[in-house]
Amino acid sequence: MKKIAIIGGGISGLYFVNLLKNQKDFEYKIFEKKDNYNFLEGYGIQLSVNSIKLLNAIGFQNLPASEVNFPSKVNFIQANNSKKICDIDLTQFNDPLNRYTTLKRSTLLKFLFQNVPKEKIKFNSNITKVENSNGITISFGDNRNEKFDYLIISDGIFSKTRSLIFNENIYPKFNLNVALRGKLTGDFGSDISIYMGSNNHYVIYPVNQNNEYNFVAIIKKKLSSDELKNYDLFKSQKFLTSLVSGLQKTDHTSFENLSELKSFPVYVSNEFPGYNKKNIFLSGDALFTSPPSFAQGASQSIETANDILKCILSGSNDIYEKRIKHINSIKKKSAFNLFSFHLSNPFNVYFRNVALRYLSRNKIFLDNYLGKIYKN
Ligand SMILES: Cc1cc2nc3c(=O)[nH]c(=O)nc-3n(C[C@H](O)[C@H](O)[C@H](O)COP(=O)(O)OP(=O)(O)OC[C@H]3O[C@@H](n4cnc5c(N)ncnc54)[C@H](O)[C@@H]3O)c2cc1C
């Protein structure tokens, strides 16, 4: 029996252990820093059909229909005049069993967690050292050691475990944007709407069938290193209000029904860490984090976890190496989306809108830009 340690019980770590359910030759433990999960959180997540396919293979399609939403389009709207520029039909990437889905992040985590035996997850974990000779030895803050055959590092963008193992300076960088998240109630339709403003954009979509919507804005903002370290700043009402008031209200959105507002600086990975450590795999944001403007982080986290199991079973790292190339292409597309969503010069905005109208109907472009990722 081979032993697998999973550090970080987020989307990637929990998805990975769901795959182990049918693998009789492996036993596992998840080490999670938090003391528990908050399944009441209302923020949303978009899952494209590539990850839905993998989730459905572990029973995701059995979630109550009231807890998910299947958008059929992404609407692109110019925020300063409320005009719809165009839309992209998402159903062209669906198949009869797998559909683009939006839901609450907590609904996804609860689904992934429900089949994990409670004794398999160690909350409040504090890992202090990882040694990789003659097996993998993990040391904990309470002076205990445990030995494993494989290690999956899925402890998110600021991965401490990654730093313990890969000694290079791979700290993520602030990408000059702040994310503002909140809940919206009302009726904003069943699709995803992207409102493009000057140096900001915001996205609204339903997270279930109860008129609850996710609101997320990405706002360009220069912050000093002192401001970045000041967690109170991001929670302060004054800062949150200033972020909201910097967004253009449209005919459809007044922001009056926004609640549970939360802001945080957006960090992205600088570079891929080395990955040729025997039996040690990085997954999800710990492997690489792109700007959130392609809504692919969670989907890629799920795909990477799936590939890691294939590598372990086959004894070859080929699939993992291909994955890194794939994530690299998503990184470029995410950065390009962010750039074009935030254009402010009226000439650039005009040409962006003309290009968007044309490209949103161009099958070859859509297959290349989105299809290669969604139908992967
Ligand atoms: C504003 C915003 C919007 C986004 N929207 C989308 C979207 O719509 N669709 C999409 O696909 N992606 C989206 N993403 C990206 C997505 O949320 C992430 O890519 C995804 O959550 C990564 O999953 P993960 O499992 O790697 O990390 P996480 O979900 O961050 O989980 C990491 C886990 O590790 C734990 N942990 C941390 N440190 C330690 C430690 N030292 N020891 C043990 N445990 C530890 C944490 O507590 C956490 O439970 C968005 C991101 C942002 C910032």
Side-chain angles (χ1 to χ4, degrees):
M1 183 75 82
K2 297 281 186 194
K3 284 180 75 184
I4 308 183
I6 297 104
I7 301 182
I11 294 169
S12 199
L14 287 178
Y15 178 74
F16 182 79
V17 303
N18 272 269
L19 296 178
L20 292 179
K21 233 180 356 187
N22 302 323
Q23 298 294 333
K24 303 290 172 230
D25 296 334
F26 297 96
E27 59 177 64
Y28 69 87
K29 252 187 216 171
I30 309 173
F31 299 99
E32 168 56 49
K33 183 172 82 172
K34 285 191 294 233
D35 57 5
N36 220 325
Y37 291 105
N38 173 7
F39 292 134
L40 298 173
E41 194 204 71
Y43 302 116
I45 195 153
Q46 305 179 39
L47 294 172
S48 47
V49 67
N50 44 323
S51 59
I52 288 295
K53 212 176 290 171
L54 297 174
L55 284 165
N56 282 345
I58 59 164
F60 186 74
Q61 69 278 34
N62 301 325
L63 274 181
S66 58
E67 291 189 26
V68 291
N69 173 64
F70 303 117
S72 50
K73 296 187 283 196
V74 181
N75 298 310
F76 293 89
I77 296 157
Q78 195 170 317
N80 64 357
N81 60 13
S82 309
K83 283 204 177 124
K84 179 166 159 178
I85 301 158
C86 60
D87 57 58
I88 290 180
D89 173 13
L90 288 171
T91 62
Q92 64 189 301
F93 305 108
N94 292 346
D95 61 54
L97 297 177
N98 305 294
R99 290 184 279 174
Y100 201 106
T101 306
T102 57
L103 73 166
K104 283 186 184 170
R105 198 172 271 265
S106 52
T107 305
L108 174 64
L109 279 173
K110 199 168 162 188
F111 163 75
L112 292 172
F113 181 64
Q114 68 186 0
N115 292 322
V116 179
K118 303 301 162 266
E119 70 279 5
K120 298 275 188 195
I121 181 154
K122 305 291 167 203
F123 287 107
N124 293 312
S125 287
N126 174 20
I127 287 141
T128 52
K129 202 162 129 196
V130 179
E131 275 175 306
N132 184 21
S133 64
N134 200 13
I136 296 157
T137 308
I138 302 182
S139 307
F140 300 89
D142 54 6
N143 293 326
R144 273 181 319 109
N145 290 329
E146 243 181 284
K147 229 171 162 176
F148 292 88
D149 300 289
Y150 297 95
L151 172 62
I152 315 301
I153 302 172
S154 50
D155 53 355
I157 179 163
F158 298 106
S159 176
K160 177 181 158 192
T161 322
R162 180 182 58 199
S163 319
L164 290 174
I165 295 174
F166 300 91
N167 295 322
E168 314 124 59
N169 179 13
I170 42 178
Y171 200 75
K173 64 169 190 243
F174 171 53
N175 93 331
L176 301 176
N177 284 286
V178 171
L180 176 70
R181 265 188 175 153
K183 259 178 76 175
L184 258 180
T185 44
D187 184 5
F188 300 90
S190 60
D191 293 319
I192 300 167
S193 293
I194 303 181
Y195 295 84
M196 298 181 288
S198 165
N199 290 320
N200 65 61
H201 74 281
Y202 55 93
V203 185
I204 297 175
Y205 56 83
V207 290
N208 53 29
Q209 300 301 319
N210 307 324
N211 285 341
E212 288 183 79
Y213 288 79
N214 182 68
F215 171 90
V216 58
I218 305 294
I219 301 157
K220 194 164 188 180
K221 199 148 192 78
K222 279 194 182 141
L223 294 170
S224 67
S225 50
D226 284 343
E227 285 172 315
L228 284 171
K229 283 184 219 140
N230 179 1
Y231 296 116
D232 290 338
L233 172 74
F234 296 97
K235 286 188 211 149
S236 81
Q237 199 51 50
K238 193 173 157 205
F239 187 70
L240 292 171
T241 309
S242 78
L243 291 177
V244 176
S245 60
L247 299 172
Q248 284 106 341
K249 294 181 184 56
T250 68
D251 294 349
H252 329 115
T253 52
S254 65
F255 304 129
E256 273 154 22
N257 294 339
L258 262 181
S259 61
E260 296 181 30
L261 279 176
K262 201 171 163 182
S263 76
F264 51 91
V266 177
Y267 280 86
V268 296
S269 298
N270 245 332
E271 55 186 299
F272 280 97
Y275 53 85
N276 53 351
K277 304 268 182 205
K278 194 165 180 279
N279 296 347
I280 297 181
F281 298 91
L282 290 149
S283 191
D285 281 3
L287 174 61
F288 198 84
T289 309
S290 296
S293 35
F294 212 116
Q296 270 299 306
S299 288
Q300 292 308 309
S301 302
I302 289 167
E303 284 194 358
T304 306
N306 191 56
D307 282 357
I308 290 173
L309 183 63
K310 286 189 196 158
C311 288
I312 292 176
L313 295 176
S314 68
S316 153
N317 272 1
D318 286 2
I319 304 168
Y320 194 53
E321 288 169 22
K322 271 194 209 134
R323 169 119 319 260
I324 286 175
K325 285 194 192 131
H326 187 69
I327 294 175
N328 225 339
S329 84
I330 289 166
K331 165 193 153 189
K332 289 181 191 146
K333 289 174 179 171
S334 304
F336 182 72
N337 282 2
L338 187 65
F339 164 77
S340 58
F341 293 168
H342 282 199
L343 288 176
S344 54
N345 176 303
F347 287 107
N348 295 339
V349 168
Y350 174 80
F351 287 113
R352 175 200 63 199
N353 294 353
V354 170
L356 252 178
R357 271 186 211 107
Y358 171 72
L359 295 172
S360 62
R361 297 278 172 264
N362 184 305
K363 182 105 183 71
I364 297 170
F365 169 78
L366 292 175
D367 278 346
N368 259 303
Y369 201 75
L370 299 174
K372 276 191 179 157
I373 292 163
Y374 295 169
K375 290 184 177 172
N376 185 38

